[in-house]
Amino acid sequence: MDGNGRWATERGHLRVYGHRKGAERVREIVEVAAEAGVKALTLFAFSEENWARPNFEVKALMKLLNTYLIKEKDRLMEMGVCLETIGDTKQLPKSNQKILREVIRDLSGNTGMKLVLALSYGAQSEITDACRNIAASVKDGYISLEDIDNNMFSAHLQTSKYPPLDLLIRTSGECRVSNFLLWQLAYAEIVFTPVYWPDFRSDQFTEAVIEYQSRQRRFGKTGEQLTSGGVEGSYSSEVAVESTNSLA
Ligand code: FPP
C-alpha cells in the first residue's frame, strides 16, 4: 500500500492526509478481493522500520488503524471476513492492541476471506525468530538437525496457516520488496504498478489479478512440461499488498 505520502505532498497536503485516503482504499480493496474469491489478503500496513518515522506520523497511523477497525467491523462481519495479524503487535500502543483483540475475537467465527494485517512486521525478524525457535527445539532434544526441512521451517513462520503466496502487488512504482514476506515470496508472482495506493481502485486490483492469471507459473519446470501435465497448486489465491517504509 505504498505511495500515500507522495500522493499527498504532490497535492499540497500533509503526508497523513495521504494515509487517510489510503485507509479509504483498504475498504474497497478488501471488498473486491473477497468478491474475487481470494482466500487470504495480507496488507502491509506498518513495517518494523516504520517506527523510525516522525512521531506525529506514527501516531496518526495508529489512530487511523483504530478508526478503520471500529468503522469497518460490521461490514467485515457482513462479508464473513476473518481478521488476523502478523508482526510484533506487542509493540503497538495498548489501545491498538485492545481494539485489535476485540475485533479479531468478534470476527473469529467467520469462514470467508482472511484479512491479515501486517503490523510492526519485518520478514527478516520473522525468519530469525523461526530460526531461534527451531534451534531451541534442537537444543532441548525435541527434534534433530535432520528433521529441519523447508516444510518444517515454513511451519515456524507466522504465516504457517495461510495458503502459499500467489501474488504480491506493490503500488507506487517502487520495484523492491522491502522486507515483506521474504520466505513466502519464493514463487509468488509480483505485479509492480506505478499507481499510488490512494489511487489504487478495484479496477486496478482486477487488472493485477488478470495479469497474474496470464502468467505461466513454472515452479522451476519447463514450459513444455507444464503444457503436457500441469503443475499442482499453481492457481490458489493468496494476495499480498505491500505498504512499506519509503526509506527502505
Ligand atoms: C506507505 O506509504 C504507507 C504506510 C506506511 C501506511 C499504510 C497505511 C494505510 C494505508 C492506512 C492505515 C491502514 C489500515 C489497515 C487501515 P508511504 O507513506 O511510504 O508513501 P511514500 O512512499 O509516498 O512516502
Side-chain angles (χ1 to χ4, degrees):
M1 301 192 288
D2 198 13
N4 296 341
R6 277 164 287 164
W7 183 93
T9 44
E10 284 173 19
R11 285 160 180 78
H13 297 291
L14 293 176
R15 293 174 53 81
V16 295
Y17 180 72
H19 294 313
R20 224 163 66 212
K21 287 284 159 194
E24 288 171 19
R25 290 286 79 77
V26 172
R27 171 178 220 192
E28 180 173 335
I29 299 305
V30 168
E31 290 201 357
V32 67
E35 277 163 23
V38 169
K39 291 181 194 152
L41 176 74
T42 305
L43 298 177
F44 202 175
F46 196 84
S47 75
E48 229 176 36
E49 293 83 5
N50 287 148
W51 292 115
R53 291 195 173 198
N55 200 21
F56 170 72
E57 184 168 339
V58 170
K59 276 195 165 152
L61 280 166
M62 294 301 141
K63 203 166 160 212
L64 264 178
L65 174 64
N66 278 351
T67 308
Y68 171 82
L69 292 168
I70 293 164
K71 230 170 93 186
E72 294 302 315
K73 192 182 94 177
D74 290 349
R75 180 72 191 121
L76 294 173
M77 181 64 92
E78 261 169 45
M79 291 191 291
V81 168
C82 179
L83 182 73
E84 299 189 1
T85 61
I86 54 172
D88 188 5
T89 51
K90 288 195 180 62
Q91 301 303 321
L92 300 181
K94 290 279 177 284
S95 75
N96 290 89
Q97 293 188 40
K98 181 171 178 284
I99 293 174
L100 271 168
R101 249 194 328 271
E102 287 167 6
V103 178
I104 288 172
R105 182 201 58 212
D106 292 350
L107 301 181
S108 63
N110 289 345
T111 54
M113 185 178 80
K114 281 191 197 310
L115 171 60
V116 185
L117 298 181
L119 294 164
S120 194
Y121 173 83
Q124 289 178 336
S125 295
E126 181 189 27
I127 290 170
T128 49
D129 284 349
C131 289
R132 203 175 302 110
N133 290 335
I134 294 171
S137 298
V138 174
K139 188 169 156 237
D140 297 342
Y142 295 120
I143 56 166
S144 68
L145 275 183
E146 291 67 39
D147 293 327
I148 304 172
D149 60 14
N150 291 350
N151 284 336
M152 170 185 277
F153 197 84
S154 296
H156 281 78
L157 295 172
Q158 295 190 33
T159 52
S160 60
K161 57 185 177 185
Y162 307 135
L165 178 59
D166 290 321
L167 170 62
L168 168 76
I169 303 169
R170 181 169 183 156
T171 57
S172 93
E174 306 290 7
C175 294
R176 54 176 177 258
V177 292
S178 302
N179 204 10
F180 190 40
L181 300 175
L182 296 180
W183 172 278
Q184 297 84 345
L185 279 167
Y187 270 103
E189 296 297 319
I190 303 184
V191 171
F192 293 109
T193 165
V195 176
Y196 290 155
W197 176 255
D199 285 334
F200 190 76
R201 311 295 306 252
S202 52
D203 284 356
Q204 273 102 14
F205 179 86
T206 306
E207 268 171 36
V209 173
I210 290 169
E211 159 79 36
Y212 161 79
Q213 287 173 325
S214 74
R215 306 256 180 103
Q216 186 186 47
R217 304 188 73 194
R218 291 191 291 279
F219 297 92
K221 294 194 175 182
T222 67
E224 289 73 25
Q225 284 177 298
L226 297 194
T227 42
S228 58
V231 175
E232 273 181 38
S234 43
Y235 298 108
S236 59
S237 52
E238 181 174 6
V239 177
V241 180
E242 183 177 11
S243 148
T244 186
N245 185 348
S246 55
L247 299 174

